[in-house]
Amino acid sequence: MLLDIAEVARRSGLAPSALRFYERRGLIESSGRNGLRRTYDAGTLGRLALISCARLAGFSLAQIGRFLVATPSDTVLRARMAERAEELDQEISRLTRMRDSLRHAAICTHTPLVECPEFKARIEGIDPSRTP
């Protein structure tokens, strides 16, 4: 099934100019034209989701382009992917601590909230049930 650029833009949440830019960078490929409008295979939406996810994870468009054509023999890229996965694990851990701390602060009665021992323990990554 072919989708015109307006439909891909609507479904992906990206501007048509971003789609054209991604196409110029070789990240996506148009299937042709329907009149004056570019058309894309429906599978392009999945590729755009991958690109968006990778962008949010901190990858540059150049890195994403390289990832999209990588093979199992690309050991340098695979090593970088493993490094980035570790960095993301650390970021997820920090964000989880912050989320848990904010959830506690939302119901805490300690004044000031940031001086609450349980809040502090959560920020530091300590299980609050194990604090004295």
Side-chain angles (χ1 to χ4, degrees):
M1 168 163 110
L2 293 179
L3 305 170
D4 76 13
I5 192 168
E7 182 65 13
V8 173
R10 184 185 70 75
R11 289 189 188 186
S12 68
L14 296 168
S17 58
L19 298 174
R20 290 188 293 272
F21 177 73
Y22 284 175
E23 190 174 335
R24 283 192 305 275
R25 296 290 304 260
L27 301 175
I28 61 172
E29 186 177 320
S30 116
S31 299
R33 294 191 176 267
N34 182 8
L36 295 175
R37 293 182 144 195
R38 285 178 167 88
T39 58
Y40 297 92
D41 182 86
T44 301
L45 293 171
R47 183 168 268 223
L48 290 169
L50 171 63
I51 292 167
S52 293
C53 184
R55 295 275 302 171
L56 288 171
F59 287 94
S60 69
L61 289 179
Q63 290 170 323
I64 295 168
R66 199 165 156 218
F67 172 69
L68 291 172
V69 297
T71 64
S73 64
D74 192 342
T75 56
V76 172
L77 180 62
R78 290 168 64 113
R80 177 63 189 121
M81 291 166 71
E83 288 171 14
R84 185 62 184 133
E86 181 59 35
E87 292 167 2
L88 287 171
D89 281 341
Q90 292 171 11
E91 187 173 341
I92 289 166
S93 178
R94 282 191 307 275
L95 291 170
T96 299
R97 288 193 316 268
M98 189 67 205
R99 180 204 60 205
D100 293 348
S101 299
L102 292 173
R103 283 186 176 153
H104 173 74
I107 60 169
C108 183
T109 59
H110 198 277
T111 303
L113 290 173
V114 295
E115 292 301 322
C116 170
E118 189 169 337
F119 178 84
K120 286 180 169 184
R122 289 176 189 272
I123 287 287
E124 294 169 10
I126 300 167
D127 182 354
S129 65
R130 294 182 179 219
T131 57

